[in-house]
């Protein structure tokens, strides 16, 4: 394809919004991580709930995953 | 006979020159380490018809070290196509495509620019620190030509203010302060040469980059990272004897010493996060100046580069992708410099440009402004990669600043692949969580502790008992609320319905309580179960009072609670307290 017919490429995430996104996503992720830890510490072998733990783990890891990628971008590691 | 005639005719065609050089004006700029030859040819078509191709000759020595050649019609900006042809009688031949045919008898003026590297020979080849550098230029007084030349002139520009030691005389020729002029010569036949030697002072540092490795890393998150690794060697007259820092600082020639003291690298205007370092680390003797249309980095290496000395460094910066990356659908195109400015009049022996594209790109195509050697592609695994990024490797030897031109890399990339990196990070975190979830389900106790187990179990059962009590109490609350409702609506059916729901809920909770008390009995023994069974009975008095309460409600005419109702409410509260004390005692 001819380059003159193409548009300038703009990044999906604006660099200016990276700090906010990182703080928000990592913050929520860490809060969920704290919840997860609390459940792990307090529950005994008779009242474990696998589904609940998996759900919290999955949500937390999605938030932390996106958050850490934005953190990398923020600090200048352009992945 | 006929064959002979044909051969004779063919011979005649070859014998006759199709062009005649009416005038040739050549300027050889030998002030820096690059010999810049600019020749203005005025060709006259003396062939039998219109022609669109003309041949240019270069001496063997020139063509061996030729770095860059360009041709254009004098006065117009467009570039003409040049292709190399087989050599003839010790002359390298280049064919210039004029695009528009030139009629018989007409003239065309074209300008040829040559950049010839590493031909100036330092003489003496070793100098002291306080000496100046002298070099010898070998060339021909006559411009190499495949055609007869009517008039021609050659001007050799030597260093401004520098000494001119000697120059071969080919009459008419004259030596001036900053130039040597050969010619004009009249009616020089084709292939005629006249070797000349010019020995003059040239203090510009003959610094050559033996390698320039340029990395261009494309990130679709909006950044293009450029990094250059450069090795510099001073290939002029070698420094003989000691080097004195004091003599160097006090040298009255200042910048005109034949040593590289500092230079300016011009980066694109959008360049940011610039770094400049070598093996030891950051070199602080550098400065960044932001200009209107560029960013200038003033670089001063750790030591001045004298003849024979070398250094290496790394310079890097980031560029926003919107300036250099184009897209349409899943088609992407990167348009950036194949080679960028290092310093004026640099000669690069080997340029290696590496383009790191994102993972999972397809159908990569490269379009370069001049021929380059495309090496096999490499894979470079880096942050958040699975298979590694595709690295295009382009190589070219003998580069001069004129090669600083744009090239284009087009490729296909699916936008969904952008999500791969965050999802990979998420998968990593999830695996950590998962390990903990699995680990916490293993029992690592060496000896079992039945008392502790029973304690844990009864805790859970107690929790459940408390929950049942709570819902029993809330059933009472619901009933009271329904009664209040009744006072305003006076709907008997609703009240009966509420009563029915209440009784059902209470019975339900009582039966669950019975079940749980049974489990408690097996777990924690009869005494605990005995106490717990109190939870079935504690609200008996309240339950018995329900009917009376409802009757009182039906009779009541006021919105506020009567004494009987108030008593019932108190009873409910008492029951709650009693249940709590029972739970606490277990």
């Amino acid at each position: 394809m001819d380059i003159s017919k193409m548009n300038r490429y703009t990044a999906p995430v604006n660099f200016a919004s990276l700090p906010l996104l990182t703080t928000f996503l990592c913050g929520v992720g860490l809060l969920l991580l704290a919840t997860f830890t609390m459940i792990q510490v307090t529950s005994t072998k008779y009242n474990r709930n696998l589904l609940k733990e998996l759900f919290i783990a999955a949500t937390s890891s999605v938030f932390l995953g996106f958050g850490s990628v934005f953190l990398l971008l923020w600090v200048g590691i352009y992945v | 006979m006929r064959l002979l005639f044909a051969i004779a005719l063919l011979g005649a065609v070859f014998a006759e020159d199709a062009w005649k050089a009416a005038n040739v004006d050549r300027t050889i700029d030998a002030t820096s380490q690059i010999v810049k030859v600019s020749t203005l040819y005025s060709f006259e078509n003396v062939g039998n018809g219109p022609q669109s191709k003309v041949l240019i000759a270069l001496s063997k020595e020139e063509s061996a070290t030729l770095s860059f050649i360009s041709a254009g019609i004098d006065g117009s900006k467009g570039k003409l196509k040049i292709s190399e042809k087989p050599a003839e009688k010790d002359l390298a031949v280049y064919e210039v495509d004029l695009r528009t045919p030139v009629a018989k008898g007409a003239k065309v003026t074209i300008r040829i620019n040559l950049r010839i590297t590493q031909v100036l020979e330092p003489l003496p080849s070793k100098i002291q620190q306080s000496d100046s550098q002298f070099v010898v230029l070998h060339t021909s007084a006559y411009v190499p030509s495949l055609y007869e030349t009517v008039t021609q002139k050659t001007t050799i520009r030597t260093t401004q203010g520098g000494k001119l030691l000697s120059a071969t005389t080919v009459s008419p020729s004259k030596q001036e302060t900053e130039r040597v002029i050969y010619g004009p010569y009249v009616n020089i036949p084709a292939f005629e040469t006249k070797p000349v030697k010019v020995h003059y002072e040239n203090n510009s540092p003959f610094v050559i980059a033996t390698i320039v490795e340029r990395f261009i890393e494309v990130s679709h998150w909006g950044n293009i990272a450029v990094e250059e690794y450069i090795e510099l060697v001073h290939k002029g007259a070698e420094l003989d004897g000691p080097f004195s820092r004091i003599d160097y600082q006090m040298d009255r020639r200042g910048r005109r010493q034949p040593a590289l003291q500092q230079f300016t690298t011009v980066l694109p205007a959008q360049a940011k996060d610039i770094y400049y370092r070598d093996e030891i680390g950051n070199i602080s003797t550098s400065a960044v100046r932001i200009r209107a249309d560029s960013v200038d980095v003033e670089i001063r290496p750790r030591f001045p580069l004298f003849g024979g000395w070398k250094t290496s460094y790394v310079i890097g910066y980031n560029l926003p992708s919107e300036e250099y990356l184009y897209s349409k659908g899943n088609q992407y195109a990167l348009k950036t410099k194949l080679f960028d400015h290092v310093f004026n009049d640099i000669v690069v022996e080997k340029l290696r440009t590496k383009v790191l594209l994102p993972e999972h790109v397809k159908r990569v195509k490269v379009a370069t402004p001049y021929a380059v050697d495309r090496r096999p592609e490499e894979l470079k695994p880096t942050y958040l990669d699975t298979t590694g990024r595709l690295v295009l490797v382009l190589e070219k030897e003998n580069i001069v600043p004129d090669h600083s031109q744009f090239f284009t890399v087009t490729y296909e990339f699916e936008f969904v692949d952008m999500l791969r990196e965050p999802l990979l990070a998420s998968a990593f975190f999830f695996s950590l969580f998962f390990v903990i979830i699995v680990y916490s389900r293993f029992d690592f106790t060496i000896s079992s502790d039945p008392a502790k187990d029973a304690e844990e179990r009864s805790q859970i059962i107690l929790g459940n008992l408390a929950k049942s009590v709570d819902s029993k109490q809330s059933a009472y609350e619901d009933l009271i609320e329904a009664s209040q409702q009744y006072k305003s609506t006076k709907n008997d059916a609703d009240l009966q319905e509420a009563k029915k729901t209440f009784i059902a809920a209470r019975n339900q909770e009582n039966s669950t309580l019975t079940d749980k008390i049974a489990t408690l009995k097996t777990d924690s023994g009869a005494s605990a179960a005995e106490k717990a069974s109190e939870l079935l009975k504690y609200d008996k008095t309240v339950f018995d009072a329900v009917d009376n309460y409802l009757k009182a409600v039906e009779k009541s005419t006021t919105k506020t609670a009567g004494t009987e109702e108030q008593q019932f409410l108190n009873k409910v509260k008492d029951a709650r307290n009693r249940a709590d004390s029972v739970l606490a005692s277990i």
Side-chain angles (χ1 to χ4, degrees):
Chain A
M1 188 185 265
D2 189 13
I3 196 162
S4 57
K5 288 179 193 142
M6 290 181 170
N7 309 316
R8 283 180 186 279
Y9 176 79
T10 41
V13 182
N14 187 1
F15 279 175
S17 54
L18 282 176
L20 186 71
L21 269 173
T22 309
T23 346
F24 172 70
L25 291 172
C26 283
V28 172
L30 288 174
L31 273 179
L32 287 167
L33 172 68
T35 319
F36 180 82
T37 318
M38 239 163 66
I39 289 172
Q40 288 300 325
V41 170
T42 53
S43 59
T44 58
K45 67 178 163 185
Y46 301 104
N47 64 350
R48 289 199 177 281
N49 189 343
L50 181 67
L51 278 180
K52 188 177 167 191
E53 284 174 28
L54 283 178
F55 176 73
I56 292 178
T59 1
S60 175
S61 47
V62 167
F63 275 103
L64 283 176
F66 277 82
S68 51
V69 165
F70 291 138
L71 178 68
L72 287 177
L73 293 172
W74 181 17
V75 300
I77 300 171
Y78 298 101
V79 290
Chain B
M1 182 66 203
R2 195 173 283 177
L3 189 73
L4 216 66
F5 180 69
I7 289 169
L9 201 70
L10 213 68
V13 165
F14 271 96
E16 194 186 9
D17 280 339
W19 293 95
K20 194 163 81 176
N23 186 36
V24 179
D25 190 352
R26 178 170 67 159
T27 308
I28 301 176
D29 180 349
T31 52
S32 67
Q33 60 171 330
I34 302 171
V35 176
K36 298 166 188 164
V37 184
S38 171
T39 317
L40 194 64
Y41 290 95
S42 184
F43 287 117
E44 187 185 344
N45 187 355
V46 292
N48 295 324
Q51 298 181 85
S52 63
K53 282 185 175 135
V54 65
L55 297 177
I56 300 294
L58 262 64
S59 74
K60 270 275 165 65
E61 298 76 42
E62 283 175 335
S63 76
T65 51
L66 178 73
S67 168
F68 183 79
I69 181 168
S70 71
I73 303 272
D74 190 45
S76 76
K77 271 204 150 182
K79 290 265 166 70
L80 298 177
K81 227 187 229 170
I82 301 178
S83 51
E84 199 174 348
K85 293 280 166 200
E88 278 182 50
K89 290 191 201 167
D90 275 355
L91 286 184
V93 180
Y94 290 83
E95 189 184 72
V96 180
D97 190 347
L98 298 173
R99 274 188 298 207
T100 45
V102 176
K104 187 185 171 187
K107 279 186 184 172
V108 63
T109 310
I110 61 172
R111 182 175 290 280
I112 304 285
N113 280 309
L114 306 175
R115 296 286 181 270
I116 297 159
T117 60
Q118 305 198 36
V119 287
L120 295 174
E121 179 197 330
L123 189 76
S125 61
K126 286 189 174 176
I127 54 169
Q128 302 274 325
Q129 191 186 338
S130 57
D131 293 344
S132 292
Q133 178 175 264
F134 290 88
V135 294
V136 178
L137 169 71
H138 299 268
T139 184
S140 165
Y142 302 152
V143 179
S145 176
L146 295 169
Y147 314 115
E148 190 196 339
T149 315
V150 181
T151 56
Q152 61 165 287
K153 196 177 97 176
T154 296
T155 310
I156 299 172
R157 289 183 54 211
T158 58
T159 321
Q160 193 180 12
K163 281 184 206 146
L164 180 62
L165 292 188
S166 72
T168 317
T169 319
V170 180
S171 185
S173 69
K174 58 181 165 182
Q175 296 178 16
E176 291 176 4
T177 43
E178 284 157 26
R179 62 176 72 107
V180 184
I181 298 165
Y182 288 99
Y185 304 114
V186 182
N187 291 333
I188 304 297
F191 300 106
E192 190 80 0
T193 56
K194 198 81 169 178
V196 290
K197 245 168 56 170
V198 181
H199 193 188
Y200 65 103
E201 185 178 348
N202 187 345
N203 282 319
S204 66
F206 279 33
V207 175
I208 283 163
T210 44
I211 186 150
V212 171
E213 257 195 320
R214 183 173 159 86
F215 299 90
I216 303 165
E217 188 175 343
V218 181
S219 165
H220 279 197
W221 292 104
N223 189 69
I224 293 171
V226 180
E227 182 174 293
E228 282 174 347
Y229 170 73
I230 297 168
E231 282 181 11
L232 298 177
V233 183
H234 192 307
K235 285 203 177 173
E238 281 184 28
L239 179 69
D240 197 21
F243 165 68
S244 158
R245 187 52 94 156
I246 293 178
D247 289 352
Y248 167 70
Q249 303 277 48
M250 293 177 63
D251 201 318
R252 296 178 75 179
R253 291 174 295 173
R255 290 281 198 88
R256 295 179 53 149
Q257 295 180 62
L260 182 73
Q261 300 169 5
Q262 69 166 60
F263 53 89
T264 304
T265 300
V266 180
L267 305 180
Q270 305 85 7
K272 57 179 168 50
D273 314 331
I274 300 159
Y275 57 90
Y276 162 57
R277 59 179 157 78
D278 60 5
E279 285 94 40
I280 304 171
N282 177 45
I283 307 172
S284 56
T285 50
S286 59
V288 174
R289 311 233 180 274
I290 297 180
R291 310 266 182 234
D293 52 359
S294 68
V295 175
D296 291 1
V297 186
E298 282 171 16
I299 290 176
R300 186 190 287 269
R302 289 181 193 275
F303 46 85
L305 276 186
F306 279 90
W309 294 14
K310 57 169 107 175
T311 188
S312 65
Y313 67 93
V314 172
I315 186 167
Y317 50 92
N318 287 328
L319 296 169
S321 64
E322 59 261 29
E323 298 288 333
Y324 300 93
L325 200 58
Y326 298 82
S327 72
K328 181 146 213 172
N330 64 353
Q331 299 280 328
Y332 290 83
L334 171 75
K335 191 181 180 193
T336 180
K337 289 261 181 84
L338 193 58
F339 169 67
D340 209 348
H341 187 264
V342 179
F343 53 83
N344 293 335
D345 295 327
I346 194 183
V347 173
V348 180
E349 283 185 351
K350 192 181 192 105
L351 169 75
R352 188 180 293 135
T353 300
K354 290 186 172 185
V355 186
L356 276 80
L357 295 174
E359 265 193 311
H360 302 274
V361 292
K362 284 182 300 230
R363 297 198 188 81
V364 181
K365 284 188 204 116
V366 182
T368 51
Y370 39 84
V372 293
D373 185 14
R374 188 155 169 203
R375 308 293 302 163
E377 287 160 2
E378 294 170 5
L379 278 182
K380 185 178 192 300
T382 167
Y383 303 104
L384 295 174
D385 280 349
T386 44
T387 52
R389 297 180 193 190
L390 187 74
V391 184
L392 305 177
V393 187
L394 307 171
E395 283 187 0
K396 183 163 171 63
E397 286 174 2
N398 205 358
I399 291 266
V400 289
D402 301 75
H403 283 107
S404 173
Q405 292 174 21
F406 282 97
F407 78 118
T408 315
V409 179
T410 50
Y411 56 91
E412 278 181 21
F413 180 82
E414 299 301 331
F415 189 74
V416 184
D417 275 333
M418 293 278 289
L419 281 178
R420 202 183 36 79
E421 280 163 338
L423 289 182
L424 200 70
S426 300
F428 165 73
F429 284 114
F430 187 75
S431 65
L432 290 185
F433 280 116
F434 194 74
V435 165
I436 292 169
I437 288 174
V438 170
Y439 174 83
S440 64
R441 273 168 174 71
F442 283 121
D443 191 354
F444 290 106
T445 47
I446 294 167
S447 59
S448 60
D449 187 348
K452 196 173 165 246
D453 279 3
E455 168 74 23
E456 283 177 357
R457 266 202 301 275
S458 61
Q459 279 303 324
I460 292 158
I461 294 167
L462 264 183
N464 290 334
L465 290 178
K467 226 184 274 170
S468 291
V469 169
D470 280 347
S471 40
K472 212 150 87 167
Q473 287 302 124
S474 72
Y476 280 107
E477 305 287 339
D478 288 347
L479 182 70
I480 292 165
E481 206 176 307
S483 323
Q484 291 301 324
Q485 202 80 33
Y486 171 80
K487 278 188 179 174
S488 47
T489 59
K490 295 284 174 195
N491 190 337
D492 277 318
D494 275 357
L495 191 62
Q496 290 310 315
E497 190 60 37
K499 191 185 169 190
K500 243 184 246 167
T501 341
F502 159 70
I503 291 169
R506 186 176 176 273
N507 285 341
Q508 170 70 34
E509 287 310 323
N510 269 351
S511 69
T512 32
L513 274 174
T514 323
D515 288 349
K516 281 178 188 150
I517 289 163
T519 25
L520 187 67
K521 193 172 183 181
T522 52
D523 253 7
S524 323
S527 68
E530 189 76 25
K531 282 179 194 157
S533 60
E534 192 65 26
L535 291 174
L536 292 168
K537 295 173 242 159
Y538 77 94
D539 61 332
K540 198 162 181 346
T541 48
V542 199
F543 185 65
D544 292 342
V546 163
D547 282 336
N548 287 336
Y549 167 68
L550 289 178
K551 268 182 204 135
V553 167
E554 276 167 19
K555 268 186 235 151
S556 163
T557 49
T558 56
K559 287 260 181 206
T560 50
T563 37
E564 221 162 326
E565 291 164 50
Q566 197 59 53
Q567 270 173 6
F568 180 75
L569 292 180
N570 289 339
K571 273 181 188 165
V572 171
K573 261 183 214 157
D574 284 350
R576 171 84 248 185
N577 293 337
R578 219 176 302 142
D580 284 346
S581 64
V582 170
L583 281 170
S585 70
I586 300 172

